[in-house]
Amino acid sequence: MTESSQLPVMNRLIAGLPLTERNALQNYCVPVELAFGDVLCTQHERYTHAYFPSTAIISLMASVKGHPPMELGMIGHEGMLGVSLLLAVDLAPQRAIVQGPGTALQITKRGLRDLLPDSPVLHKSLQRYFFRLMTQTLQTTVCTCFHLVDARLVRWLLMTHDRAHADDFHLTHQFLADMLGVQRSAVTIASGILKDHGLIEYSRGKITILDRAGLEAAACDCYAAERFTIAD
């Protein structure tokens, strides 16, 4: 993780603030560049910072003993990592890892708490976002239990595409398998079907979205529910 000298306001929570609140928030924040694989917080440990992603994408990971972690939530330019601090809860409920490198605004836990009493619009926006993130996490749990790997992969690709600001992103089959909590072979088969149908292309760890409408048609109903979490 490195500091970034320039960062356009792209995070929706920040962009929607009145100018006075936006300026106050930015005075507390430091622009940072987040690299793929950066661990921003660890499950059951105390937050030190919160993050407002702009172009970065953050995965919320949970695990149980004897199994690799899997993704339960995704945060991009629509949200904030550390929103549970609004409830005076310092412990991170999940491990947060950067799955899409890019920019973010970083604020200390103390800074966020000092800022909120004088930022009513930000406070309300974060409360609404907290509900949306909770909805996304619950929908992911249901999807994991009841839907096949190919539909879950389509949903995950669409969720990433919504936040990636590009039609291609670097993702290995092993990384996708870890995100979905399945064997790598299952991802290889599912992505091969999508490629054969002309929906995606992949080569050397890079996946390109070729037919967005086709992917949406192939997605399970959970994706339509998830779109609520990034709605304006």
Side-chain angles (χ1 to χ4, degrees):
M1 185 191 310
T2 59
E3 290 194 12
S4 175
S5 58
Q6 294 183 341
L7 181 67
V9 176
M10 298 179 66
N11 181 281
R12 291 186 182 181
L13 293 173
I14 297 174
L17 295 176
L19 184 60
T20 53
E21 288 196 26
R22 188 190 311 166
N23 289 339
L25 172 60
Q26 291 177 320
N27 287 336
Y28 276 90
C29 290
V30 176
V32 293
E33 290 278 348
L34 302 180
F36 176 79
D38 280 349
V39 177
L40 305 181
C41 64
T42 301
Q43 189 175 19
H44 304 319
E45 293 189 358
R46 295 189 184 278
Y47 284 113
T48 58
H49 296 84
Y51 295 84
F52 294 89
S54 295
T55 60
I57 306 174
I58 300 168
S59 289
L60 302 178
M61 312 293 294
S63 62
V64 295
K65 187 175 181 180
H67 297 275
M70 65 172 290
E71 185 185 78
L72 288 182
M74 186 185 297
I75 303 171
H77 62 275
E78 81 290 348
M80 185 188 83
L81 172 65
V83 71
S84 59
L85 289 170
L86 271 70
L87 303 179
V89 177
D90 287 349
L91 298 181
Q94 296 106 7
R95 182 172 182 256
I97 183 171
V98 178
Q99 61 111 325
T103 54
L105 285 176
Q106 179 192 71
I107 184 171
T108 65
K109 176 177 63 177
R110 173 70 178 273
L112 181 65
R113 287 179 171 167
D114 288 347
L115 179 71
L116 285 176
D118 297 319
S119 303
V121 178
L122 175 62
H123 197 182
K124 183 177 180 179
S125 295
L126 290 177
Q127 288 176 322
R128 290 169 60 88
Y129 174 66
F130 193 8
F131 173 75
R132 290 176 173 179
L133 184 61
M134 180 178 65
T135 300
Q136 181 198 136
T137 302
L138 293 173
Q139 196 68 46
T140 298
T141 303
V142 172
C143 190
T144 300
C145 290
F146 297 115
H147 290 150
L148 299 177
V149 173
D150 53 350
R152 291 171 55 206
L153 174 60
V154 169
R155 173 176 177 260
W156 195 91
L157 291 173
L158 288 169
M159 289 173 62
T160 301
H161 191 221
D162 287 336
R163 297 164 172 84
H165 308 281
D167 290 332
D168 55 73
F169 22 89
H170 291 274
L171 296 169
T172 66
H173 283 188
Q174 185 58 59
F175 180 82
L176 286 169
D178 292 342
M179 292 295 103
L180 298 176
V182 298
Q183 296 294 318
R184 178 177 175 178
S185 58
V187 170
T188 300
I189 293 170
S191 59
I193 293 172
L194 299 180
K195 181 178 180 180
D196 290 343
H197 283 80
L199 302 179
I200 66 170
E201 181 59 74
Y202 62 83
S203 176
R204 298 181 180 180
K206 184 176 79 170
I207 292 180
T208 302
I209 304 298
L210 299 178
D211 184 353
R212 167 84 190 200
L215 282 176
E216 290 185 3
C220 59
D221 292 342
C222 294
Y223 176 66
E226 195 279 332
R227 287 297 296 272
F228 172 71
T229 69
I230 61 169
D232 291 325

